[in-house]
Amino acid sequence: MRYLAILLLAPWLIVLGWAYWAYPKSLPKNATRRGFDVLALLGATAAAIQAALLAYDAVELPAADQFGPKSGAIWQQVVPALYGYGAFVAVLVLALIVRQMVWKQKRSV
């Protein structure tokens, strides 16, 4: 169950990764940029998995009382998905900014 949140989020993360890879079309597509893109996508994937696992372990489930378990167990899947998504997007946004600064300057020279 530890990987359920990231597994359910995986299709959307694949779409975001594809969008990062494909756009913008105005920047040059050389081996250095593609290497940077691969590293950024691998870093974003690793950050998403790590954040989701840490969040899964950090969520405290409510204790059961005399009437049975209380609701709230869904948060053990929701919080890791949110953290994983946030980490993935944060790494890709940082990579977009760096990529734009580095390759935009090289193109204008």
Side-chain angles (χ1 to χ4, degrees):
M1 294 300 280
R2 288 176 53 92
Y3 298 100
L4 180 62
I6 203 73
L7 183 66
L8 294 173
L9 192 61
W12 177 240
L13 297 182
I14 290 170
V15 169
L16 288 177
W18 170 82
Y20 172 81
W21 182 266
Y23 297 104
K25 298 198 182 269
S26 62
L27 294 178
K29 294 177 184 157
N30 53 25
T32 308
R33 178 181 157 206
R34 287 304 183 196
F36 177 80
D37 290 346
V38 167
L39 287 177
L41 289 169
L42 288 175
T45 302
I49 292 170
Q50 187 64 30
L53 291 177
L54 289 173
Y56 182 85
D57 293 336
V59 172
E60 294 182 23
L61 294 177
D65 58 8
Q66 72 240 19
F67 300 110
K70 297 178 184 175
S71 64
I74 188 70
W75 291 106
Q76 196 170 20
Q77 298 303 326
V78 172
V79 173
L82 292 173
Y83 277 48
Y85 176 72
F88 190 86
V89 170
V91 171
L92 283 189
V93 166
L94 181 65
L96 278 170
I97 293 169
V98 170
R99 183 173 76 173
Q100 189 69 19
M101 288 175 16
V102 170
W103 276 275
K104 195 68 161 178
Q105 289 176 354
K106 286 186 177 181
R107 188 162 195 241
S108 64
V109 171

